Amino acid sequence: CFSKMNKPREANNGCILDGKLYPFGVTPRTENCFTCSCSQHGIDCCSLFHTPIGYDKENCRVIFNKESCNYNVVQKSDPSKECFVSSHV
């Protein structure tokens, strides 16, 4: 999670994050896979995804799927085959 404070007089219509204006209130999903809450003071966001850490790093690689807001862990030699993941953070 992270927070970004609004600059003085910046928050007339909402909060700006990554060059995009988000209205006051809760945004369930940004285009970068975060859920955010915007107020006059700033914006608070948390990721909608968990990062895989327990997998075979020698034979597998991690690919971020922006449509599902999830990481896929696939075999380096055959990306059509998924790898077992034992833990996420």
Side-chain angles (χ1 to χ4, degrees):
C1 295
F2 65 91
S3 297
K4 179 184 172 226
M5 300 299 291
N6 287 330
K7 294 177 184 173
R9 294 182 295 276
E10 178 183 69
N12 293 330
N13 300 315
C15 301
I16 297 174
L17 180 65
D18 297 327
K20 185 173 179 181
L21 178 67
Y22 290 95
F24 293 119
V26 175
T27 300
R29 179 181 164 175
T30 68
E31 59 189 43
N32 291 325
C33 297
F34 287 89
T35 182
C36 298
S37 178
C38 172
S39 71
Q40 290 282 344
H41 302 289
I43 192 166
D44 299 310
C45 299
C46 287
S47 65
L48 293 170
F49 51 88
H50 295 93
T51 305
I53 58 168
Y55 65 94
D56 181 352
K57 293 175 178 62
E58 186 175 317
N59 296 307
C60 302
R61 65 184 177 120
V62 176
I63 301 171
F64 188 69
N65 183 332
K66 206 170 185 179
E67 288 182 25
S68 66
C69 291
N70 198 11
Y71 283 101
N72 298 324
V73 182
V74 297
Q75 292 181 5
K76 289 179 182 177
S77 60
D78 185 356
S80 68
K81 294 182 181 176
E82 291 188 12
C83 294
F84 174 74
V85 179
S86 61
S87 57
H88 296 79
V89 291

